[in-house]
Amino acid sequence: GAVVSQHPSWVICKSGTSVKIECRSLDFQATTMFWYRQFPKQSLMLMATSNEGSKATYEQGVEKDKFLINHASLTLSTLTVTSAHPEDSSFYICSAHIIYEQYFGPGTRLTVT
Amino acid sequence: AQTVTQSQPEMSVQEAETVTLSCTYDTSENNYYLFWYKQPPSRQMILVIRQEAYKQQNATENRFSVNFQKAAKSFSLKISDSQLGDTAMYFCAAQGGSEKLVFGKGTKLTVNP
């Protein structure tokens, strides 16, 4: 089956620094990837749609200058949280879209101290 | 815009029994897909079952089946012969032409031994 990986699985960073999260489709190519944020005991909130070779489309209320998304190839999308603050601490999940289904990565836990 | 509503924040069931999780949705699109995802404590999103809206036949995957009532915009999940490993958060989701998934708030299911 289709496998999506994320790296790192857990990252701790200091306030004011930037952190990059990678999302890879391992055995298929995905022109579209999605980034979600999930707070404890809550549902997934779509942050942005990442399209290979073009700019990401951000959902309303998501700061595009803070959450930089790059879809450099058909198998890799990255999310960079710039100048991270404690309120950015969350669980970030990516998914890769193929045909009519999304395959999810295992998620990245970000803790900003 | 699509909306998905799960009215049961928590449910519990005894092992080997049957449980039904409710989901209603709203969409203006003619072609859409409906999904049930499972999120165990590992937080990996796992596809449980998918239903194409144009298909009248209810989808079935082993112990999991759906009751899709298109006119009522209802999409419930039935889990038969519940197992301890079914303990998880269950999210109902809808996807239209934009390929974006819209999630409900989730139902926490606990299977008791």
Side-chain angles (χ1 to χ4, degrees):
Chain A
V3 179
V4 176
S5 69
Q6 273 185 250
H7 178 79
S9 58
W10 192 2
V11 58
I12 302 174
C13 70
K14 293 186 176 181
S15 185
T17 63
S18 296
V19 61
K20 180 185 288 187
I21 302 169
E22 292 186 349
C23 176
R24 294 181 184 273
S25 56
L26 298 184
D27 50 2
F28 65 100
Q29 295 181 330
T31 56
T32 303
M33 291 184 174
F34 298 92
W35 287 95
Y36 298 85
R37 186 173 180 176
Q38 186 180 32
F39 291 105
K41 299 183 179 181
Q42 293 190 21
S43 187
L44 281 69
M45 180 190 77
L46 179 64
M47 299 175 65
T49 303
S50 171
N51 295 296
E52 189 268 338
S54 64
K55 291 184 178 180
T57 303
Y58 292 82
E59 295 299 303
Q60 191 173 6
V62 177
E63 299 176 61
K64 61 180 181 181
D65 294 331
K66 179 166 192 60
F67 298 100
L68 299 179
I69 291 173
N70 183 281
H71 198 147
S73 75
L74 289 171
T75 59
L76 173 64
S77 176
T78 60
L79 168 68
T80 301
V81 183
T82 62
S83 187
H85 292 285
E87 56 266 30
D88 298 324
S89 297
S90 190
F91 192 68
Y92 293 87
I93 305 174
C94 72
S95 72
H97 182 271
I98 181 169
I99 309 178
Y100 45 70
E101 195 166 321
Q102 290 187 29
Y103 295 89
F104 288 83
T108 297
R109 183 190 299 181
L110 170 63
T111 302
V112 184
T113 61
Chain B
Q2 297 172 325
T3 60
V4 176
T5 303
Q6 294 178 251
S7 58
Q8 306 153 314
E10 292 192 38
M11 293 191 72
S12 63
V13 64
Q14 291 299 122
E15 195 175 6
E17 294 187 346
T18 296
V19 63
T20 299
L21 279 56
S22 301
C23 173
T24 58
Y25 64 94
D26 194 14
T27 180
S28 58
E29 300 194 40
N30 292 321
N31 296 319
Y32 55 92
Y33 299 90
L34 299 168
F35 304 85
W36 278 97
Y37 283 92
K38 168 185 177 180
Q39 188 179 42
S42 68
R43 303 188 81 171
Q44 170 73 58
M45 294 290 285
I46 300 167
L47 176 66
V48 175
I49 201 164
R50 175 183 63 242
Q51 175 79 45
E52 292 90 338
Y54 62 86
K55 289 187 176 180
Q56 293 185 339
Q57 186 173 4
N58 290 324
T60 299
E61 286 288 341
N62 301 312
R63 298 183 295 107
F64 300 89
S65 62
V66 298
N67 183 2
F68 174 45
Q69 301 291 326
K70 190 172 184 177
K73 295 183 177 177
S74 171
F75 183 61
S76 61
L77 174 69
K78 185 172 81 172
I79 305 174
S80 303
D81 186 25
S82 296
Q83 300 176 359
L84 296 178
D86 295 335
T87 293
M89 282 292 292
Y90 286 82
F91 293 100
C92 178
Q95 176 184 302
S98 69
E99 302 176 347
K100 295 181 184 180
L101 275 173
V102 176
F103 287 92
K105 292 188 175 182
T107 297
K108 182 180 179 182
L109 176 66
T110 302
V111 180
N112 299 309

